[in-house]
Amino acid sequence: MMKRRKIGLVGAGQIGGTLAQLIGLKDLGDVALIDIAEGMAKGKALDLQQSFAVSGHDCVIEGGSDYGLLKGCDAVIVTAGIPRKPGMSRDDLLKINAGVIKTTALEIKKHCPNAFVIVITNPLDIMVWLMQQASGLPTTHVIGMAGVLDTGRYKTFLAQKLNVSVQSIDAFVLGGHGDTMVPMPGFTTVLGIPLNHFIDKGKITQKCVDDIIERTRNGGAEIVNLLQTGSAFYAPANSAVQMLEAYFYDQKRALPCAAHVKNAYGVKDIYVGVPCVIGAKGVEDIIELDLTEAEQAAFHRSAKAVEGLIHDLERLNI
Ligand code: APR
């Protein structure tokens, strides 16, 4: 008999709520929705439970502020934290969110040390590094969500421009989330045909590809500006669910994630965005590529930014 799976969601905000809904509708398991704002976690859990009754989904969802709800979780997705507010320095944000991640890491270690943990809280690469350090969980079981989202954005813009289905596009991005992201047009294909072919045939210009890369890099900010309050949540939640499914269903799916790189791409022992294979054992492999000089330089900038943040954490005594 197969045991029902249980997924812990730490953070019941915009992404956390959307995650709970997706998990219920996809029958991925039961949900524990945890937030420091107890009423919100309880309220969303109750609303979602009633929603599942309407559509006939068996997901049992419980909400609250007690981390004890994590007991027995097979996977945990972490979105808890605060966004950067006007007047707040990067250090302030780093300090607050690092505190939240550290607390969460210790609770995960206590209640569900065998869980597969996906971190979404920003600044992502450093938060996922801290989650692994503070929880002591194996590096195969602690991973950050960014590359799938960035790739989704990149594919959206390319599909619109080329007038083809997003399903025909294969692509990925390397490096950190945000400014230091490294899109890889050299590895982008449409039906297996390299993007360069479409540039040569005049279907899309190099300038247009460059603009798409820039828009992808600023994809989060574009949505923040439009929403006025809060940041993107549908695509981030869907991206984490894809990673969760790869783990639960042992898909051995190659996905770009913020993963622990022991010694590859010229970097050692940091978390950074790389293509990895996710299956039942967590991160089962990291795919290493031969990069061009420019790609290698961009990737190193990304890795250096993460290393700088690790030093900042030490400086801030976290
Ligand atoms: N423990 C539990 N929950 C906490 C804690 C804590 N110590 N501190 C904050 N939270 C909760 C907040 O109460 C809030 O409900 O985390 C939740 C975050 O939700 P939102 O503010 O709605 O943010 P969301 O849009 O879901 O994004 C979450 O993902 O993409 C990143 O930059 C984004 O770091 C942010 C995270």
Side-chain angles (χ1 to χ4, degrees), residues 150-165:
D150 291 332
T151 304
R153 288 176 173 153
Y154 179 58
K155 280 188 188 175
T156 303
F157 304 142
L158 267 179
Q160 285 170 349
K161 205 71 206 176
L162 289 167
N163 200 23
V164 297
S165 160

Side-chain angles (χ1 to χ4, degrees), residues 10-17 34-37 40 44 65 67 78-84 96-97 99-101 103-104 120-123 145 149 177 230-233 236:
V10 181
Q14 295 279 67
I15 300 178
I34 300 165
D35 201 289
I36 200 168
M40 184 163 67
K44 284 195 181 181
S65 59
Y67 277 97
V78 183
T79 61
I82 59 156
R84 191 162 162 197
I96 294 171
N97 283 354
V100 175
I101 293 296
T103 307
T104 305
I120 304 185
T121 305
N122 274 321
M145 187 295 294
L149 170 62
H177 189 36
S231 44
F233 52 100

Side-chain angles (χ1 to χ4, degrees), residues 13-236:
Q14 295 279 67
I15 300 178
T18 309
L19 278 168
Q21 185 178 34
L22 285 172
I23 288 166
L25 295 182
K26 287 181 162 234
D27 293 316
L28 291 176
D30 294 334
V31 172
L33 189 59
I34 300 165
D35 201 289
I36 200 168
E38 188 181 20
M40 184 163 67
K42 284 191 165 168
K44 284 195 181 181
L46 195 55
D47 188 10
L48 281 162
Q49 192 69 83
Q50 293 160 2
S51 162
F52 298 148
V54 172
S55 53
H57 289 88
D58 285 322
C59 171
V60 174
I61 175 164
E62 209 178 343
S65 59
D66 179 7
Y67 277 97
L69 289 172
L70 286 177
K71 199 163 174 48
C73 281
D74 302 287
V76 181
I77 306 179
V78 183
T79 61
I82 59 156
R84 191 162 162 197
K85 298 187 183 114
M88 188 186 268
S89 74
R90 273 184 193 273
D91 271 2
D92 292 339
L93 178 74
L94 189 63
K95 215 168 171 172
I96 294 171
N97 283 354
V100 175
I101 293 296
K102 215 168 163 180
T103 307
T104 305
L106 295 174
E107 297 287 349
I108 289 174
K109 184 182 177 182
K110 186 161 135 196
H111 299 291
C112 52
N114 297 318
F116 183 62
V117 180
I118 303 173
V119 177
I120 304 185
T121 305
N122 274 321
L124 196 262
D125 304 86
I126 188 68
M127 291 300 129
V128 61
W129 179 86
L130 183 62
M131 170 61 72
Q132 194 279 322
Q133 290 278 311
S135 66
L137 263 62
T139 50
T140 50
H141 281 61
V142 180
I143 193 167
M145 187 295 294
V148 176
L149 170 62
D150 291 332
T151 304
R153 288 176 173 153
Y154 179 58
K155 280 188 188 175
T156 303
F157 304 142
L158 267 179
Q160 285 170 349
K161 205 71 206 176
L162 289 167
N163 200 23
V164 297
S165 160
V166 281
Q167 294 183 58
S168 303
I169 300 182
D170 208 357
F172 74 95
V173 300
L174 206 66
H177 189 36
D179 306 345
T180 56
M181 182 196 93
V182 187
M184 308 287 285
F187 293 92
T188 304
T189 61
V190 181
L191 213 75
I193 305 159
L195 185 60
N196 270 339
H197 172 84
F198 296 86
I199 299 175
D200 292 345
K201 294 280 176 211
K203 295 274 185 209
I204 189 168
T205 62
Q206 182 63 52
K207 159 93 174 63
C208 193
V209 173
D210 293 343
D211 288 347
I212 284 175
I213 288 173
E214 201 46 33
R215 192 172 173 198
T216 303
R217 228 189 273 282
N218 299 319
E222 182 178 1
I223 290 174
V224 166
N225 288 335
L226 288 167
L227 291 178
Q228 299 285 319
T229 56
S231 44
F233 52 100
Y234 294 116

Side-chain angles (χ1 to χ4, degrees), residues 265-299:
Y265 288 101
V267 299
K268 273 187 186 163
D269 276 325
I270 59 164
Y271 270 85
V272 63
V274 285
C276 27
V277 176
I278 302 186
K281 296 190 185 80
V283 179
E284 299 191 352
D285 197 14
I286 285 178
I287 301 170
E288 206 173 350
L289 300 163
D290 293 327
L291 302 180
T292 64
E293 234 169 77
E295 285 163 353
Q296 184 74 40
F299 182 78

